[in-house]
Amino acid sequence: MEGRSHLLIGLVAGVVFDSVTHISGNALTAGTIVTLPLLVSKAVYYGAVGFGALLPDIDNARSTLGHRFGIISKTIQGIAGHRTVFHSLLGLAVGSLLAIGLERVVIYLLGLRGYSAPAHVVGFSHVVFFGVLFGCVMHLLCDSLTYGGIPLFWPVKKRFGIPMDNKFRFRTGTWPEFLIVWGFMFVVAVCIWQGYVIL
């Protein structure tokens, strides 16, 4: 899918995910006491989901995120190619372990200096982690709908998609992609309006 499609579906699916898990805090309903930390948590969460929805395409220098990362994306694409490790379960696992490890290292280094990470900072780091992870999962799910599919079990090169027969999937940038994106957004908007999904 194109970058804007990944971003829109990621953010809209992020609304649904947050409505179920409340990972960014309480839902913003009429009875909710809106505080600055709650608004910051929501902003951090949706920023993380949006970043995660674009992140797997860092291996494509022409992608939305690839343009921003320039030489880094070109280098990654030159080494790994597009839709390889960054579009696989291995990539999700390694990325998750690196993120968790980085958080632990930062907390450890702060401890060596006599500082402790405040609970709200650790809480925000968890919001970022789960937001980015969810965005990445949505990216992979969306790309699995396309004709090329994804190498889910990379380094095994076999590609998987939904549905399994690629003749029932679509090519990136064609009308079925926009139908899926706008249809999904419409359904979620109706669910929000009906109160089934709460921001």
Side-chain angles (χ1 to χ4, degrees), residues 1-2 11-12 47-48 58 71 83 89 96 98-99 113 130 141-142 168 175 186-187:
M1 280 192 171
E2 294 183 342
L11 290 173
V12 173
I58 197 171
I71 190 67
R83 283 202 192 182
L89 293 176
S96 297
L98 286 173
R113 299 252 182 213
F130 286 111
L141 181 63
C142 288
F168 295 111
W175 67 266
F186 175 76
V187 168

Side-chain angles (χ1 to χ4, degrees), residues 4-196:
R4 61 188 169 193
S5 298
H6 281 302
L7 186 59
L8 289 171
I9 285 189
L11 290 173
V12 173
V15 170
V16 176
F17 183 67
D18 193 38
S19 179
V20 173
T21 63
H22 302 293
I23 198 159
S24 70
N26 295 330
L28 297 176
T29 59
T32 304
I33 298 172
V34 179
T35 62
L36 183 59
L38 178 60
L39 291 177
V40 169
S41 181
K42 296 280 182 191
V44 166
Y45 168 72
Y46 286 110
V49 170
F51 180 73
L54 298 173
L55 184 58
D57 277 344
I58 197 171
D59 63 6
N60 180 359
R62 293 178 297 155
S63 69
T64 303
L65 202 61
H67 283 299
R68 306 286 189 278
F69 281 83
I71 190 67
I72 295 171
S73 285
K74 287 180 183 174
T75 303
I76 292 170
Q77 186 173 2
I79 294 170
H82 179 48
R83 283 202 192 182
T84 56
V85 65
F86 289 95
H87 287 72
S88 70
L89 293 176
L90 178 63
L92 286 176
V94 170
S96 297
L97 290 173
L98 286 173
I100 292 168
L102 179 62
E103 179 191 61
R104 295 289 100 198
V105 166
V106 168
I107 290 171
Y108 174 74
L109 291 175
L110 286 172
L112 287 179
R113 299 252 182 213
Y115 301 107
S116 62
H120 68 277
V121 171
V122 174
F124 280 145
S125 73
H126 291 155
V127 169
V128 170
F129 172 77
F130 286 111
V132 171
L133 180 61
F134 181 77
C136 288
V137 169
M138 288 307 301
H139 183 110
L140 269 57
L141 181 63
C142 288
D143 275 353
S144 72
L145 299 172
T146 64
Y147 183 77
I150 58 170
L152 192 62
F153 299 108
W154 189 91
V156 175
K157 293 183 179 178
K158 179 174 172 54
R159 291 185 174 232
F160 295 87
I162 303 169
M164 290 299 286
D165 189 344
N166 67 4
K167 71 181 176 186
F168 295 111
R169 301 196 298 260
F170 61 88
R171 292 192 183 277
T172 298
T174 57
W175 67 266
E177 175 176 331
F178 302 107
L179 183 65
I180 289 168
V181 171
W182 291 102
F184 182 64
M185 290 173 61
F186 175 76
V187 168
V188 172
V190 169
C191 289
I192 291 171
W193 182 57
Q194 292 294 321
Y196 300 124

